[in-house]
Amino acid sequence: MSQKLPYRSDVPLNETWDLSDLYKTSEEYELAIRRLPEQAQQFKTQYEGQLNDLATIENALKAYSEILVDLDRAANYSALQLTVETTDAERQRLDALLTSNYGDVMSRLSFVETELLSLDNDLLQQAIDSLDYPYYLQCLKKRKKYQLHPKAEETLANMSQALGAPSHIYGITKMLDIDFGVFEVDGQQFNMDYTTFEGIYEDHENTSVRRESFRHFSETIRKYQHTTAALYNSHVQNEKLEADLRGYDSVIDFLLEEQDVTPDMYHRQIDIIMSDLAPIMRRYAKVVQRANHLDEMKFEDLKISVDPTFEPTITIEESKKYIYGALSVLGDEYSSMLDDAYRHRWIDFPQNKGKETGAYCASPYASHSYIFISWTGKMTEAFVLAHELGHAGHFTLAQKHQNFLQSEASMYFVEAPSTMNEMLMLDYLLKQSNDIKFKRWAIGSIIARTYYHNMVTHLLEAAYQREVYYRVDKGESLTAPILNEIKKEVITSFWGDDIHISKGAELTWMRQPHYYMGLYPYTYSAGLTVGTIMAQRIKNEGQVAIDEWLEILKAGGSLSPIELVKIANIDLTTEQPLKQTIAYINDLVTELEKLTNQIEQENL
């Protein structure tokens, strides 16, 4: 059946999120965003040149935080209202208001960190030791040798709109300019856009529909490869320029700075997964091929279910049973957050025309989390929702216990709470039934959705991204043929001869906005490493592990990733946690093979 999405105005209101906790109306948002430059200027007039004693620094950081919270509120509202209906002109205008004012506000605030970094080392250390912002100030101190002249810092802040233009234009091209039209299979026409391809056709149980949709999708985005490559090249060259200006040895070092992790931690995550996980995932692909009776396993077949005849469906209302059942182990306060998310419309469920793809959780400090999802009715959505509620639970607890400047954990850790929830969901589902087909579906889903998508897909993005930055550091510019070549080499290296790398697979670099978000892709596997270990500890040790985990969530961004997970006796300075996680994935694949053999024997 052809899939055509409804317009936003036609979806049920109770399935959409309610942004009124941020601003009651768009007019209120507009007034707030127009006031922000004036607020920033008043702050600048009061405190510029005055940050030379502890009392003034403390007062300034409090006032600085208040402005950043207001800016964060506006930035989230701007993105959230647009992301569900990108084609609407008024929503585009409201988003442009944020874009046009953001750089102005940040340039007026840039003196704060510049002056803090110009402090006498003894006074800066006193601030670290006595004020409520120790980790924030410690991270700032580490960047001291890379700080530019105050006017240069102000100029860079003021140029944030221009420097962010490639990402903005990429999003417009992706969601507004590309018309996928229709494709045809066996005389039937199917409407396509980004949302229907990634949400429906990419893992479609009908092989002809799935493969033809991939061909049609790939040939459509191929028409935009040179523009997309030019945008991406502009973005990475901007990063290279700033890295050089600040004196970093490489772009990777520059981008890792804000995560507060070592290069060893970054490279280890990529290298060990490429070498140790690849053969395990090839075995998984063979199980999927065998269960689906495919003569050949192609790249576009990798996301299909291990059993296309067994795909439980679930309504939004029914999802509550599974979400509460799996996650209530984390305690009453966490369960209360889950209830609020459903009852007070923190979640945007519908698929509609103009809505962006994927799923995410935005967590403005000023109110509460908002979860973006495109509900398909497949039971695998329970994993997606558990994942995003993991982010919501993390930020709810962190923002309750930490000030704004220390509320957000390093990007390296941020996917741990979300992926850990997926592990809890798996454990809960496996307890619900002894049916071997259901067990195979559950294990197959966690491998496909969590480990293949989050650990492999994003890790392959990271390996590709690393090669891109290696070339940029050598002074190279990037073109579509070069990017295609890099992506194909990475995919082929991981899958070897077990997967046919179809024409179009090399274009998958065009689909991912993560490349405009620093070194984000590899952090999925880093977070999943921590999440897997913690889920196993909660399963085996109960309340002791739960208490440690809640302590970690409450710590937010007040500790480095290494110190954060030390609370649960996890040592990220070694390869042991990653090796332990890969061993667990191997056990899951082994169990999947056994269940498939058993089912095949019963069907003889």
Side-chain angles (χ1 to χ4, degrees), residues 186-341:
D186 296 332
Q188 183 178 359
Q189 289 192 331
F190 296 80
N191 291 283
M192 180 188 281
D193 55 25
Y194 252 101
T195 304
T196 52
F197 174 69
E198 295 189 350
I200 297 172
Y201 303 133
E202 193 173 26
D203 62 352
H204 202 284
E205 67 276 5
N206 184 306
T207 300
S208 297
V209 171
R210 182 176 66 253
R211 291 179 176 177
E212 179 59 22
S213 73
F214 177 79
R215 188 201 65 78
H216 179 80
F217 179 87
S218 299
E219 289 311 304
T220 303
I221 65 173
R222 187 182 301 278
K223 299 172 186 176
Y224 298 82
Q225 64 177 321
H226 300 294
T227 300
T228 307
L231 289 171
Y232 183 42
N233 183 59
S234 295
H235 172 75
V236 296
Q237 297 300 340
N238 286 342
E239 291 175 320
K240 169 66 172 170
L241 177 63
E242 185 170 353
D244 287 347
L245 282 173
R246 294 188 179 281
Y248 287 92
D249 292 335
S250 69
V251 182
I252 288 174
D253 287 345
F254 166 56
L255 296 174
L256 283 177
E257 180 74 49
E258 66 177 355
Q259 296 182 15
D260 197 17
V261 298
T262 66
D264 284 347
M265 292 165 68
Y266 166 74
H267 292 296
R268 180 193 306 127
Q269 204 70 27
I270 297 174
D271 292 338
I272 291 180
I273 290 177
M274 289 294 289
S275 64
D276 291 19
L277 185 59
I280 297 170
M281 293 307 295
R282 291 176 192 177
R283 284 170 46 213
Y284 162 72
K286 288 296 183 184
V287 176
V288 173
Q289 179 182 356
R290 177 157 56 102
N292 283 270
H293 309 292
L294 300 176
D295 292 336
E296 181 179 36
M297 190 70 175
K298 295 188 175 185
F299 179 80
E300 57 268 40
D301 298 324
L302 284 167
K303 289 197 172 183
I304 60 176
S305 170
V306 72
D307 185 353
T309 68
F310 192 94
E311 181 63 60
T313 57
I314 186 174
T315 65
I316 293 171
E317 184 63 29
E318 288 168 343
S319 72
K320 295 178 183 178
K321 169 190 172 184
Y322 297 96
I323 292 296
Y324 293 151
L327 305 184
S328 60
V329 67
L330 296 175
D332 292 342
E333 186 175 7
Y334 204 96
S335 296
S336 177
M337 181 277 300
L338 301 175
D339 193 47
D340 286 344

Side-chain angles (χ1 to χ4, degrees), residues 489-597:
E489 286 179 358
V490 168
I491 296 171
T492 303
S493 174
F494 189 87
W495 293 111
D497 296 331
D498 294 283
I499 304 297
H500 174 75
I501 308 302
S502 306
K503 182 180 180 182
E506 76 281 3
L507 297 171
T508 53
W509 63 268
M510 294 179 63
R511 296 169 52 183
Q512 188 51 266
H514 287 167
Y515 300 134
Y516 297 87
M517 301 165 67
L519 296 177
Y520 187 24
Y522 91 101
T523 64
Y524 277 89
S525 66
L528 192 49
T529 299
V530 174
T532 299
I533 292 171
M534 282 310 306
Q536 291 304 298
R537 285 199 56 211
I538 288 172
K539 180 180 178 180
N540 296 326
E541 301 173 33
Q543 197 59 47
V544 171
I546 291 169
D547 290 343
E548 290 178 355
W549 184 240
L550 293 175
E551 185 180 348
I552 288 173
L553 300 186
K554 291 173 183 177
S558 63
L559 295 169
S560 72
I562 291 174
E563 294 301 319
L564 199 60
V565 300
K566 272 186 181 178
I567 294 171
N569 297 312
I570 298 173
D571 186 358
L572 291 178
T573 65
T574 73
E575 64 180 27
Q576 192 272 335
L578 181 55
K579 292 275 191 178
Q580 183 178 335
T581 299
I582 291 173
Y584 174 74
I585 300 171
N586 181 66
D587 291 343
L588 287 177
V589 173
T590 299
E591 182 64 19
L592 193 69
E593 291 170 331
K594 290 178 180 177
L595 289 169
T596 299
N597 291 338

